[in-house]
Amino acid sequence: MSEAVAQAVAERFARLYGAGPEGVWAAPGRVNLIGEHTDYNDGFVMPFALPHTAVAAVSRREDGVLRLHSADVEGGVTELRVADLAPGTDRGWTAYPAGVVWALREAGHEVTGADVHLASTVPAGAGLSSSAALEVVVAFALNDLYGLGLRGWQLARLCQRAENVYVGAPVGIMDQTAAACCEAGHALFLDTRDLSQRQIPFDLAAEGMRLLVVDTQVKHAHSEGEYGKRRAGCEKGAALLGVDALRDVPYAGLDAALERLGDDEEVRRLVRHVVTEDERVERVVSLLEAGDTAAIGPVLTEGHASLRDDFRISCRELDLVVDTALAEGALGARMTGGGFGGSAIVLARAADVDTLTKAVQEAFARAGLTAPRVFEAVPSAGARRLA
């Protein structure tokens, strides 16, 4: 599969630029199992990589020119000069790969240009980190081609900076780290404060279970509005409580912390979600390490209730997926990703997958909603060179 994809992308590169690429790389989208909106609060997250990837064929240039093309976007090759790259100058898809080049150069790495052709199977706008996959695949390619010697977590940091500063989206570090560092058959337990990682075995098929992703087809746009408001509210909560980040509010001390916040109901809700969500991540880690995978289902469902009621970032379609799946016997379900659309995940016994899928599709049809896309999420490898 990966050889065929690499060959196809390399052949398109050659047609575009007149010569074959120096290499082909891939970086995956991700599903976050648990730990939502905790990453920019220095908390815990637990993503795993999808088999869906952004693939890049890339060659170096020495003349200061960056040429970008995507098989997934209408239009020809975009040509930029690396010396002219600056935050806020690009609002299109090219801001993601161009931002990576900018971030590498800002960090002192001598990147003198590149020809890039990209193709992605990560669904855009589905809350599965299609943008992080684009950033990380370009970063990995340039790291290899220019011999920068940077490790996965370092490249993830630079990609986060590209998205925060160059693109202007206030995302945390989780998505880029997942794309860079995940391993097949595992979920990544990541402490976003110190970037320490543990690979947690997560082989659902061996235990007769499946994790479904239900893409509601409702698109979201993170860099606009509501995501930034939630982040600012979390920062306000931390400041009012006198801590560096909400990560520092202990779960056992949550009630006392909420009392100190008085009648600021919005901040109280945000704080409650983040503190309880960090505890849910730790609970899921413990259950998986104990081999009690089915028991994580109710924890996922708790997480959805918190995102819906306290963080208030769910929507009608996401709630419909969760409620329908649970009514049909799912072990657990929740929205995943930034919210306001995107995808939900459903943990189910393998024997129940067809019934659950049909029930969700029928529920959407009855509600007059666009049919959702349903697929199995298989924990897959992080960024890597294909050819």
Side-chain angles (χ1 to χ4, degrees), residues 5-363:
V5 171
Q7 184 176 348
V9 174
E11 287 173 355
R12 183 73 188 276
F13 180 100
R15 291 198 298 274
L16 285 165
Y17 298 120
E22 291 185 81
V24 181
W25 290 260
R30 65 95 189 98
V31 162
N32 192 24
L33 182 63
I34 192 74
E36 220 64 80
H37 288 270
T38 50
D39 60 345
Y40 54 80
N41 289 292
D42 282 3
F44 304 124
V45 295
M46 202 172 182
F48 64 88
L50 289 168
H52 306 72
T53 57
V55 178
V58 185
S59 288
R60 288 168 291 185
R61 296 180 66 99
E62 297 180 357
D63 59 358
V65 172
L66 174 64
R67 295 196 292 183
L68 302 169
H69 184 268
S70 170
D72 309 305
V73 181
E74 292 275 337
V77 173
T78 297
E79 185 168 313
L80 305 166
R81 295 203 61 81
V82 297
D84 297 336
L85 298 177
T89 57
D90 186 354
R91 293 297 176 200
W93 74 268
T94 53
Y96 297 98
V100 170
V101 175
W102 170 83
L104 285 166
R105 286 170 57 84
E106 281 283 297
H109 301 292
E110 191 65 23
V111 177
T112 55
D115 287 338
V116 180
H117 169 60
L118 291 151
S120 180
T121 58
V122 185
L128 303 175
S129 293
S130 57
S131 58
L134 278 187
E135 294 157 0
V136 170
V137 74
V138 171
F140 264 69
L142 296 175
N143 185 54
D144 283 357
L145 292 175
Y146 282 97
L148 304 180
L150 297 170
R151 298 175 64 187
W153 66 269
Q154 293 171 306
L155 293 170
R157 274 274 193 230
L158 287 165
C159 290
Q160 182 200 18
R161 177 166 167 75
E163 192 155 349
N164 287 171
V165 180
Y166 195 92
V167 178
V171 299
I173 190 65
M174 174 181 68
D175 295 350
Q176 292 82 3
T177 305
C181 301
C182 279
E183 294 181 4
H186 293 76
L188 180 71
F189 177 38
L190 173 67
D191 182 332
T192 64
R193 171 164 282 170
D194 62 13
L195 296 190
S196 60
Q197 305 175 14
R198 266 180 26 228
Q199 300 286 345
I200 309 296
F202 190 52
D203 185 358
L204 290 168
E207 301 185 59
M209 284 175 273
R210 299 287 187 273
L211 191 78
L212 300 178
V213 175
V214 183
D215 176 3
T216 64
Q217 307 284 342
V218 178
K219 304 302 181 189
H220 59 199
H222 268 180
S223 52
E224 297 170 16
E226 294 299 325
Y227 183 100
K229 287 180 188 174
R230 301 304 188 281
R231 182 164 185 164
C234 290
E235 291 167 355
K236 179 181 178 182
L240 289 171
L241 293 169
V243 294
D244 291 337
L246 294 182
R247 147 74 173 277
D248 298 311
V249 179
Y251 179 70
L254 176 59
D255 289 345
L258 295 177
E259 268 191 43
R260 288 173 56 200
L261 291 171
D263 59 1
D264 193 331
E265 186 54 36
E266 182 177 0
V267 172
R268 283 166 55 93
R269 284 191 286 98
L270 297 178
V271 169
R272 182 165 53 227
H273 167 73
V274 173
V275 175
T276 58
E277 186 79 346
D278 273 333
E279 188 272 340
R280 281 186 284 273
V281 177
E282 293 186 289
R283 244 193 299 163
V284 167
V285 170
S286 296
L287 290 167
L288 289 178
E289 290 187 326
D292 196 2
T293 303
I296 74 172
V299 189
L300 303 184
T301 306
E302 279 179 40
H304 182 76
S306 182
L307 290 161
R308 180 193 65 212
D309 301 336
D310 278 343
F311 229 67
R312 299 192 179 181
I313 57 170
S314 190
C315 64
R316 174 191 179 194
E317 292 84 355
L318 290 167
D319 292 343
L320 183 59
V321 174
V322 171
D323 293 345
T324 303
L326 293 173
E328 290 292 330
L331 297 169
R334 75 173 190 90
M335 60 152 286
T336 187
F340 311 106
S343 298
I345 56 175
V346 178
L347 181 67
R349 297 174 186 85
D352 295 337
V353 165
D354 290 345
T355 302
L356 285 167
T357 300
K358 184 180 179 186
V360 169
Q361 291 169 336
E362 289 177 347

